[in-house]
């Protein structure tokens, strides 16, 4: 075991106390394999979960490799099969199916590079302050302060035969294109590693978001008069929270409304329109100064 390397990486990880039983997502790639290795080095009792999407011919081989890695590192292994409709939006469908199959308290191996990619993706799709912060609050990400090259280095040091997912080279997926094309182009244009800069921007957005969210929580997001009187940033956040929370029970795969959606709802607030459609086919209507959400037809 490369003890010095592991000890250095652990100083930047956020694992629970020794002896805790945890579930870790294990695709078999360097990031998730490093997550399992570091969790075990932190004296956690690790159950490694692999989700087989059956999206490419080597999917079963990848599951077998993941099981070998779990055994090599000393983790128990759980495999699950999921199937999705491959005719459209494969990336988001696969992600939703994966998290539905994983335990609610699962740890995943996202790194600082993943967060930088997500920040750029969210900004490009109009995700607002929340998207630009990319706080990743829904599941635990204990190695988020590590870099991708560090997880690769650790797997090489541990002599792990990790998986190379062919989807990571497919630029038709937006996140992959950002990883393989946009971030390298930014690094070349700025003549420096831009991942720390993007993540620092995310931290600033997170802090600003916390202040705005505290003010937004005091508003009634269905009350047109209160929304119209509030600062735009506060009204926008109140609507984002309301729309996200209100649509979650209606679907197994809720989607955070984009800035464009919220702008259209603000037009309803200010009387420009009486109703508007938002993400997921929902409609927001206004009656006697009160906003309501109607589910998709």
């Amino acid at each position: 075991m490369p003890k010095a390397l592991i000890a250095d990486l652990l100083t930047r990880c956020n694992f629970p106390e020794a002896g805790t039983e945890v579930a870790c997502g294990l695709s078999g790639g360097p990031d998730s394999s490093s997550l399992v290795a570091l969790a075990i080095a932190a004296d956690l009792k690790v159950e490694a979960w692999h989700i087989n999407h059956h999206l490419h011919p080597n999917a079963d081989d990848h599951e077998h490799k993941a099981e070998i890695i779990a055994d090599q590192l000393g983790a128990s292994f759980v495999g699950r099969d999921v199937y999705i409709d491959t005719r459209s939006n494969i990336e988001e469908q696969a992600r939703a199916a994966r998290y539905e199959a994983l335990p609610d308290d699962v740890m995943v191996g996202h790194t600082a590079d993943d967060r930088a990619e997500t920040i750029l993706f969210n900004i490009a799709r109009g995700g607002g302050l929340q998207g630009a912060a990319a706080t990743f609050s829904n599941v635990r990400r204990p190695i988020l302060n590590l870099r991708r090259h560090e997880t690769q280095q650790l797997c090489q040091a541990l002599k792990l035969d990790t998986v190379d997912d062919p989807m990571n080279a497919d630029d038709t997926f937006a996140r992959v294109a950002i990883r393989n094309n946009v971030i390298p182009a930014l690094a070349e244009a700025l003549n420096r590693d831009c991942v720390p800069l993007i993540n620092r921007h995310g931290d600033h957005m997170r802090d600003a978001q916390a202040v705005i969210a505290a003010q937004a929580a005091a508003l009634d997001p269905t009350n047109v008069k209160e929304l119209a009187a509030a600062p735009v940033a506060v009204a926008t956040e109140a609507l984002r929270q309301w729309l996200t929370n209100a649509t979650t029970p209606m679907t197994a795969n809720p989607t955070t409304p984009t800035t464009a959606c919220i702008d259209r709802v603000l037009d309803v607030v200010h009387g420009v329109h009486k109703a508007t459609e938002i993400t997921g086919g929902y409609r927001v209507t206004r009656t006697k100064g009160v906003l309501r959400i109607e589910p998709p037809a």
Side-chain angles (χ1 to χ4, degrees), residues 141-160:
R141 293 169 169 83
I143 66 169
L144 197 58
N145 292 324
L146 303 186
R147 298 296 302 275
R148 187 170 292 138
H149 67 82
E150 293 177 309
T151 66
Q152 294 169 345
Q153 180 186 6
L154 177 59
C155 288
Q156 290 169 2
L158 292 172
K159 296 181 171 55
L160 300 179

Side-chain angles (χ1 to χ4, degrees), residues 21-235:
E21 295 183 2
V22 298
C24 293
L26 176 62
S27 68
D31 294 344
S32 63
S33 298
S34 293
L35 169 69
V36 173
L38 291 167
I40 289 173
D43 294 325
L44 304 179
K45 298 177 181 179
V46 179
E47 189 174 62
W49 283 65
H50 178 86
I51 308 301
N52 188 340
H53 297 85
H54 299 280
L55 289 175
H56 53 80
N58 296 325
D60 290 340
D61 179 58
H62 288 182
E63 181 173 358
H64 181 59
K65 280 190 173 184
E67 187 170 6
I68 292 174
I69 290 170
D71 183 66
Q72 185 175 342
L73 294 174
S76 61
F77 182 82
V78 178
R80 290 288 185 270
D81 296 302
V82 299
Y83 299 90
I84 64 171
D85 183 351
T86 59
R87 290 174 295 182
S88 65
N89 204 6
I90 296 175
E91 191 175 18
E92 289 304 316
Q93 281 197 70
R95 180 180 180 278
R98 180 165 62 252
Y99 281 113
E100 186 173 347
L102 289 167
D104 291 339
D105 60 349
V106 69
M107 293 179 172
V108 295
H110 290 159
T111 65
D113 297 82
D114 291 300
R115 186 185 179 211
E117 293 160 12
T118 301
I119 288 170
L120 292 180
F121 175 80
N122 288 345
I123 290 173
R125 67 178 290 272
L129 277 179
Q130 181 77 5
T135 51
F136 288 146
S137 58
N138 55 330
V139 296
R140 293 184 287 180
R141 293 169 169 83
I143 66 169
L144 197 58
N145 292 324
L146 303 186
R147 298 296 302 275
R148 187 170 292 138
H149 67 82
E150 293 177 309
T151 66
Q152 294 169 345
Q153 180 186 6
L154 177 59
C155 288
Q156 290 169 2
L158 292 172
K159 296 181 171 55
L160 300 179
D161 182 16
T162 56
V163 164
D164 184 15
D165 189 342
M167 292 179 69
N168 289 332
D170 188 348
D171 287 348
T172 60
F173 297 113
R175 292 176 189 270
V176 176
I178 289 171
R179 175 185 308 155
N180 295 339
N181 302 320
V182 177
I183 289 182
L186 281 174
E188 183 177 359
L190 298 173
N191 194 30
R192 64 183 297 180
D193 181 5
C194 61
V195 168
L197 300 177
I198 296 170
N199 278 301
R200 191 180 308 156
H201 171 77
D203 291 341
H204 292 322
M205 295 301 98
R206 178 196 61 206
D207 295 341
Q209 174 74 8
V211 174
I212 292 170
Q215 296 183 34
L219 290 181
D220 176 355
T222 67
N223 187 306
V224 168
K225 189 174 181 179
E226 286 190 29
L227 290 169
V232 173
V234 176

